[in-house]
Amino acid sequence: MRTFYPSDSFSKESHLNSLNPQSWLQVERGKLSSSASSSAPLCRESFIKVPEPQILPHYKPLDYVEVLAQIHEELESCSLHERSSLYLLQYQVFRGLGETKLGQRSLRSAWQEATTVHEKVVFGSWLKYEKQGEEVIAELLSSCGKYSEEFVPLDIASCSPVTSASSPEAASAKAKRSISRNVVFKIGEERVACDRKRFASLSAPFHAMLYGSFTESLLDEIDMSENHVSPSAMRVVRDFSVADVLIGVTKNLLLEVLVFANKFCCERLKDACDRELACLVSSMECAIELMDFALEESSPILAASCLQVFLYELPDSLTDERVEEALTRVNRSQVSTMAGKASFSLYSCLTEVSMRLDPRSDRTLSFLEKVVDFAESDRQRVLGFHRLGCTRLLRKEYREAEEAFETAFNLGHVYSATGLARIGYIQGHKLWGYEKLTSVISSVSPPLGWMYQERSLYCEGDKKLEDLEKATELDPTLTYPYMYRAVKLMSEQNAEAALEEINRILGFKLALECLEIRFCLYLGMDDYEAALRDIQAALTLCPDYRMFDGKVAARQLRTLVYEHVESWTTADCWMQLYEKWSNVDDIGSLSVIYQMLEADACKGVLYFRQSLLLLRLKCPEAAMRSLQLAREHASSDHERLVYEGWILYDTGHCEEGLQKAKESIRIKRSFEAYFLQAYALAESSLDPSSSSTVVSLLEDALKCPSDRLRKGQALNNLGSVYVDCEKLDLAADCYINALKVRHTRAHQGLARVHFLRNDKAAAYEEMTRLIEKAQNNASAYEKRSEYCDRELAKSDLEMVTRLDPLRVYPYRYRAAVLMDSRKEAEAIEELSRAIAFKADLHLLHLRAAFHEHNGDVSSALRDCRAALSVDPNHQEMLELHSRVNSHEP
């Protein structure tokens, strides 16, 4: 085993100067060659750096429940034009909580509630950006006759209100002199005859010129040669004065007429030119060309149309220097022309995209400065200044970063203290950083996990470990404490304890940085097969992942490690997949599938299996990517239709998913098509009679060719249907047959059958068998708790919380037990412990009910509102909210 040492997280020059992975991977089947042996320990130590926890550029209020409740309350009573801004704030809260899907729903609400064209453009484009890769869903829905407006650009000209400028009086009633009906405008050698009255109606200046006290009012011919207008443009103006419409005018003439309209305050003519030009914006090049003109001439419809093209092509458009310049080098008035009252929302969107591209860039900095400039409330300023501090810190502009963090902190964003402490440390004030976080911890009740994690960076030894343990206790989802402890244990030559520590978090959160640490630990133990497994799992999650602070492509390291493990044939791979799938080793299964895909096997089927594993590992975005790859690599039309059905079903379009399954069956009967149809019908139908249809479909599936892994799943599902129909003997047969093909999860179904037969002991034993076989067994412990007495149940559920603290049932169970024992405060505290790091509807619902029971109406109402922010349509939550709301004074 090689020696490892955790790096000082803030060593100012801790970056690697050179990388030479080959020097420590030159091995012969697990043994270092003699030439590499002497340098390997030193080289390997340099690779196992534990990076300091990132200061997240997000809005992270101390009590997100309170903030969500406030937003919900404001949404209940605010005016229509305020709703989009409130949903944007809600999005920022969910973003800070890491709740991607909830954040997208908030953006969608902001888009739906938008009252201006500019808001529609900004939020529609932002939503499209957030849902990159999901355009295929709109395409599939359209193939089913259902159309989505989410990814469709807005026709801005038709959506914008028409300018209604009042026409000046044609002539004064007191005019005593005779004025000719027509007037001729001379431009060079050409003359354009116009109706005086109609031309005068274009604007007040022309009315004054033609009917006022100016000399021109007495003339039948007026020389316009010095006004930079061509005869062609003047004829367009004349025609508009008569018909009030522009027909068939070229782009260049429209631009010239727009300048003329601006110069002479012809509002109706300007509006018409603005609309016609907006309709001509059809490409990025066109938008870039016209945006400067639109801003120069204050043409809001044209500017918004150009902006929509920029936003619609995010993130690629921001890599075009011309687009960047158009969006950054604009003054406040020009931004108003371009985005109207959605200026803050626009630059919030651009900041979000730019920070993901490069948070250190001048572009990001410029966008953030505009976010601060256009912020209208303290909550908006908080986010702007905190993000500005994060970017300034990354750019090593410490004085400016400190000012930004200080402003955000003084506005109530306590999380910005992390930025102040980091800057203090960089400037040599480590003790000040420790004291700053100590002050924060003592002033907040209850404290949060990130506070202790941050303070641990400014102390050493036992104090550091104590703070990291406290951080994990308060927020077990924080990855840094596990990584630090694991690497420290490895440095003490305690490899098994190091692996056990990093496995604690990988058991419930498949974080890339933790897989990277475990990869390094396995290399230190010369376990190249395990190292290969982890790097292949990481590449499955992120195909372009780079390791060691982004310095080395993971693919390169995978190639090097792969040379030192035994090669598998295709048959070996299938056997390994069967073994790992049966043992509920999801990460191991992912790795095997990655290896099979590299060998160019039947990719469609393998990508589909990959998606199933990723869903089990709570990686929905990666799972959807794999499903789309399965569709792209389908070997036939009927196979492609099945994958399209799953894509639709997984995104909430059940009916359309069923439609795709039926289309597939019409082409060819297959296991997967019948399975999809049965699964979707079972999950969506409320009609009890549908059970017989589901049974028939699963039986049809089992008659079709498939492998044992999928047949076992079908047998398991069939057993569940029989249980629901109270046909316990048939259910037991299905589960037993599933176990014969090593579908390990069938133990859970068989346990249910034992329980329904009043054999609780047999049910407990059946779940024990599952626990012994499955590597990922938190759910098995949770299920077993239903088949034993209260003390054993409490023990099992404590184990569940240790294995997967994100599972909410144990907290709810313990809280209910405490409530039954009339320990109301402890019951609420148990729920609050989990709510602090997981925004879960069921936890909030139960805590609201407890508060209602205790007569604490305001706390109950707060939790109801926060829960409805998580799921606005939850019926029981709506009923509780209505009941509690009626009690509020």
Side-chain angles (χ1 to χ4, degrees):
M1 185 182 75
R2 308 296 171 219
T3 56
F4 284 77
Y5 299 96
S7 65
D8 180 351
S9 296
F10 290 97
S11 175
K12 294 174 187 171
E13 299 299 330
S14 64
H15 297 298
L16 303 174
N17 294 320
S18 62
L19 292 167
N20 185 18
Q22 291 87 343
S23 67
W24 48 271
L25 285 170
Q26 299 302 316
V27 298
E28 293 179 350
R29 297 295 174 208
K31 293 186 178 180
L32 280 166
S33 64
S34 58
S35 61
S37 178
S38 60
S39 63
L42 178 60
C43 187
R44 291 187 186 184
E45 288 162 20
S46 70
F47 276 90
I48 193 156
K49 304 282 184 185
V50 182
E52 65 267 24
Q54 180 188 4
I55 298 177
L56 299 173
H58 303 319
Y59 179 41
K60 295 182 74 67
L62 286 176
D63 187 350
Y64 75 86
V65 174
E66 183 67 39
V67 174
L68 286 176
Q70 288 172 1
I71 295 170
H72 189 275
E73 183 178 10
E74 290 175 39
L75 283 167
E76 291 176 327
S77 58
C78 71
S79 62
L80 290 176
H81 76 270
E82 294 176 293
R83 295 179 69 82
S84 285
S85 295
L86 287 169
Y87 279 119
L88 174 56
L89 179 61
Q90 189 184 76
Y91 162 82
Q92 301 291 6
V93 176
F94 285 134
R95 184 95 172 85
L97 292 168
E99 296 288 351
T100 303
K101 289 297 180 185
L102 294 179
Q104 288 180 1
R105 196 199 63 216
S106 296
L107 275 184
R108 193 171 197 280
S109 297
W111 171 66
Q112 290 173 324
E113 298 286 346
T115 57
T116 69
V117 170
H118 296 105
E119 286 179 333
K120 281 282 188 186
V121 168
V122 170
F123 290 119
S125 302
W126 195 344
L127 186 61
K128 178 181 180 294
Y129 167 74
E130 288 283 344
K131 292 189 168 187
Q132 286 178 91
E134 291 188 25
E135 293 87 349
V136 67
I137 298 166
E139 175 192 331
L140 295 178
L141 285 172
S142 67
S143 72
C144 299
K146 185 176 180 180
Y147 297 94
S148 170
E149 296 180 2
E150 282 187 16
F151 301 110
V152 179
L154 199 64
D155 183 352
I156 293 173
S158 65
C159 294
S160 302
V162 178
T163 299
S164 55
S166 57
S167 299
E169 291 296 326
S172 169
K174 297 180 180 180
K176 295 181 179 179
R177 61 182 182 273
S178 176
I179 299 176
S180 63
R181 179 177 179 181
N182 294 324
V183 62
V184 174
F185 291 105
K186 180 184 176 186
I187 302 168
E189 297 302 317
E190 295 194 43
R191 288 167 174 77
V192 181
C194 302
D195 182 295
R196 182 183 294 269
K197 181 179 178 181
R198 291 183 182 276
F199 209 93
S201 71
L202 288 174
S203 70
F206 276 127
H207 179 267
M209 175 193 289
L210 299 176
Y211 285 103
S213 57
F214 290 96
T215 304
E216 286 86 350
S217 67
L218 303 174
L219 302 177
D220 293 332
E221 184 174 291
I222 300 172
D223 193 346
M224 296 285 285
S225 300
E226 302 299 319
N227 284 282
H228 307 291
V229 60
S230 69
S232 298
M234 184 57 82
R235 280 190 282 271
V236 171
V237 177
R238 176 198 63 192
D239 294 344
F240 181 82
S241 71
V242 174
D244 211 35
V245 66
L246 296 169
I247 301 174
V249 185
T250 64
K251 181 178 73 173
N252 288 338
L253 265 181
L254 284 169
L255 293 173
E256 187 179 353
V257 171
L258 178 58
V259 173
F260 178 90
N262 252 339
K263 184 175 183 178
F264 291 99
C265 305
C266 306
E267 293 303 321
R268 286 184 296 112
L269 177 59
K270 176 185 175 181
D271 182 71
C273 290
D274 200 2
R275 291 172 189 279
E276 289 296 315
L277 284 167
C279 293
L280 298 178
V281 180
S282 57
S283 67
M284 181 63 69
E285 287 300 320
C286 186
I288 292 170
E289 176 192 352
L290 292 175
M291 178 60 97
D292 284 343
F293 188 90
L295 296 177
E296 185 69 26
E297 297 299 325
S298 300
S299 302
I301 300 174
L302 176 57
S305 298
C306 296
L307 176 65
Q308 179 172 239
V309 174
F310 295 167
L311 298 181
Y312 199 74
E313 296 298 327
L314 291 173
D316 295 341
S317 58
L318 288 189
T319 61
D320 189 314
E321 291 181 358
R322 297 169 298 171
V323 174
E324 178 184 335
E325 185 173 345
L327 294 171
T328 56
R329 298 181 183 178
V330 281
N331 59 37
R332 195 175 184 89
S333 174
Q334 290 172 323
V335 173
S336 180
T337 298
M338 181 169 57
K341 294 182 179 179
S343 300
F344 176 81
S345 303
L346 168 63
Y347 283 99
S348 294
C349 170
L350 292 172
T351 296
E352 190 73 43
V353 179
S354 189
M355 291 194 83
R356 296 186 201 180
L357 290 173
D358 181 3
R360 297 176 176 83
S361 68
D362 292 340
R363 177 190 62 226
T364 300
L365 182 61
S366 179
F367 289 159
L368 280 167
E369 288 172 340
K370 293 194 182 303
V371 167
V372 170
D373 190 32
F374 287 103
E376 296 178 345
S377 67
D378 282 350
R379 292 187 297 200
Q380 291 179 345
R381 291 184 190 94
V382 156
L383 180 63
F385 278 110
H386 177 71
R387 286 190 147 186
L388 186 58
C390 291
T391 288
R392 294 283 195 188
L393 179 57
L394 290 170
R395 291 164 62 95
K396 299 183 179 180
E397 298 168 358
Y398 300 127
R399 182 180 61 79
E400 294 88 347
E402 184 177 15
E403 289 175 358
F405 283 129
E406 188 74 47
T407 301
F409 182 80
N410 290 337
L411 286 169
H413 194 240
V414 177
Y415 181 69
S416 295
T418 57
L420 294 171
R422 300 279 178 105
I423 293 168
Y425 178 85
I426 289 167
Q427 295 174 340
H429 308 299
K430 185 175 181 179
L431 180 59
W432 183 89
Y434 184 87
E435 291 173 346
K436 181 69 175 176
L437 269 299
T438 300
S439 172
V440 167
I441 291 168
S442 62
S443 65
V444 174
S445 180
L448 300 172
W450 63 259
M451 300 173 182
Y452 286 95
Q453 173 179 269
E454 187 66 24
R455 191 173 72 170
S456 75
L457 304 176
Y458 312 113
C459 54
E460 304 296 336
D462 290 342
K463 276 188 176 182
K464 186 181 190 78
L465 291 175
E466 286 171 11
D467 274 357
L468 290 174
E469 285 298 335
K470 188 66 175 177
T472 300
E473 176 190 330
L474 294 173
D475 186 351
T477 66
L478 297 171
T479 59
Y480 175 79
Y482 301 94
M483 294 193 296
Y484 182 88
R485 289 188 294 259
V487 175
K488 187 175 191 306
L489 287 164
M490 196 68 174
S491 74
E492 297 168 354
Q493 307 293 304
N494 195 343
E496 293 303 319
L499 284 175
E500 184 179 345
E501 180 60 33
I502 202 66
N503 285 341
R504 284 175 61 194
I505 188 164
L506 285 171
F508 67 90
K509 184 176 181 179
L510 197 56
L512 285 166
E513 62 270 26
C514 295
L515 278 173
E516 181 175 340
I517 288 289
R518 194 168 73 174
F519 167 80
C520 293
L521 296 180
Y522 280 126
L523 283 181
M525 300 166 66
D526 292 335
D527 189 343
Y528 296 100
E529 287 189 3
L532 182 67
R533 176 201 64 202
D534 283 353
I535 202 167
Q536 290 183 159
L539 284 166
T540 299
L541 290 174
C542 182
D544 299 321
Y545 187 59
R546 299 185 68 83
M547 303 175 74
F548 308 129
D549 198 24
K551 293 179 173 63
V552 183
R555 284 184 180 277
Q556 179 187 359
L557 290 176
R558 186 259 174 192
T559 301
L560 294 168
V561 174
Y562 186 70
E563 293 175 2
H564 307 292
V565 299
E566 187 175 346
S567 297
W568 289 342
T569 65
T570 301
D572 292 333
C573 286
W574 278 108
M575 288 299 295
Q576 287 289 331
L577 180 59
Y578 183 62
E579 183 70 24
K580 294 182 186 303
W581 201 292
S582 299
N583 291 334
V584 198
D585 178 4
D586 294 334
I587 295 178
S589 299
L590 272 186
S591 177
V592 175
I593 288 177
Y594 182 92
Q595 198 158 323
M596 294 170 79
L597 286 166
E598 289 286 294
D600 200 30
C602 42
K603 291 185 183 293
V605 172
L606 290 172
Y607 277 124
F608 176 61
R609 301 293 174 85
Q610 192 181 77
S611 73
L612 298 175
L613 289 165
L614 289 165
L615 280 177
R616 288 213 308 235
L617 289 164
K618 293 172 280 191
C619 303
E621 292 86 1
M624 181 54 66
R625 185 179 66 238
S626 294
L627 253 184
Q628 293 187 23
L629 287 169
R631 176 184 180 243
E632 291 173 20
H633 290 89
S635 60
S636 64
D637 285 344
H638 75 267
E639 183 185 341
R640 173 182 53 79
L641 285 165
V642 169
Y643 302 144
E644 289 179 353
W646 280 114
I647 290 171
L648 289 166
Y649 176 80
D650 286 347
T651 52
H653 304 287
C654 185
E655 287 300 318
E656 291 74 20
L658 281 168
Q659 184 177 328
K660 291 289 184 181
K662 292 173 183 177
E663 287 179 38
S664 178
I665 291 169
R666 280 197 292 270
I667 296 172
K668 183 179 180 179
R669 295 160 59 92
S670 70
F671 173 90
E672 292 297 351
Y674 279 120
F675 186 88
L676 166 60
Q677 193 176 355
Y679 189 91
L681 189 61
E683 292 293 314
S684 63
S685 178
L686 300 176
D687 184 0
S689 65
S690 66
S691 296
S692 59
T693 307
V694 173
V695 168
S696 176
L697 289 167
L698 287 172
E699 288 174 344
D700 285 339
L702 289 165
K703 293 173 187 175
C704 298
S706 187
D707 58 71
R708 289 182 293 177
L709 293 174
R710 297 298 285 158
K711 294 238 178 191
Q713 182 66 63
L715 286 165
N716 191 67
N717 288 19
L718 186 56
S720 298
V721 179
Y722 282 136
V723 167
D724 291 340
C725 298
E726 299 182 355
K727 298 178 180 179
L728 299 185
D729 290 341
L730 290 173
D733 289 342
C734 287
Y735 292 129
I736 290 168
N737 288 331
L739 288 170
K740 287 178 181 177
V741 293
R742 296 187 64 189
H743 185 77
T744 309
R745 293 176 187 271
H747 283 296
Q748 183 168 316
L750 194 54
R752 181 69 177 164
V753 171
H754 290 316
F755 178 75
L756 293 172
R757 287 172 170 170
N758 296 317
D759 193 347
K760 204 171 180 180
Y764 185 89
E765 288 302 318
E766 199 67 46
M767 289 308 301
T768 302
R769 294 188 188 99
L770 176 55
I771 288 168
E772 291 168 350
K773 290 180 182 179
Q775 288 200 22
N776 301 330
N777 53 19
S779 62
Y781 276 106
E782 184 176 298
K783 198 66 181 176
R784 191 175 72 170
S785 70
E786 298 177 18
Y787 307 134
C788 52
D789 60 40
R790 177 170 286 191
E791 288 306 311
L792 284 174
K794 286 172 64 177
S795 175
D796 273 355
L797 292 175
E798 286 296 339
M799 177 61 78
V800 173
T801 300
R802 283 199 294 275
L803 293 173
D804 185 353
L806 294 177
R807 298 186 76 89
V808 301
Y809 174 73
Y811 302 99
R812 295 168 62 210
Y813 177 89
R814 289 189 290 265
V817 169
L818 289 166
M819 203 68 178
D820 286 344
S821 304
R822 303 197 177 188
K823 297 178 180 178
E824 291 88 351
E826 291 93 327
I828 290 172
E829 184 180 347
E830 176 66 25
L831 294 173
S832 301
R833 181 162 69 104
I835 288 170
F837 59 84
K838 184 173 175 64
D840 182 80
L841 171 78
H842 303 292
L843 293 172
L844 288 165
H845 185 187
L846 189 56
R847 193 172 73 172
F850 286 178
H851 283 309
E852 182 195 30
H853 176 79
N854 293 341
D856 188 347
V857 174
S858 61
S859 295
L861 194 56
R862 175 204 62 201
D863 285 353
C864 286
R865 286 169 171 158
L868 288 171
S869 300
V870 174
D871 184 355
N873 301 314
H874 191 271
Q875 192 58 42
E876 290 183 21
M877 201 68 249
L878 288 167
E879 291 170 3
L880 178 58
H881 175 255
S882 177
R883 187 169 68 244
V884 172
N885 204 23
S886 67
H887 296 155
E888 188 182 31

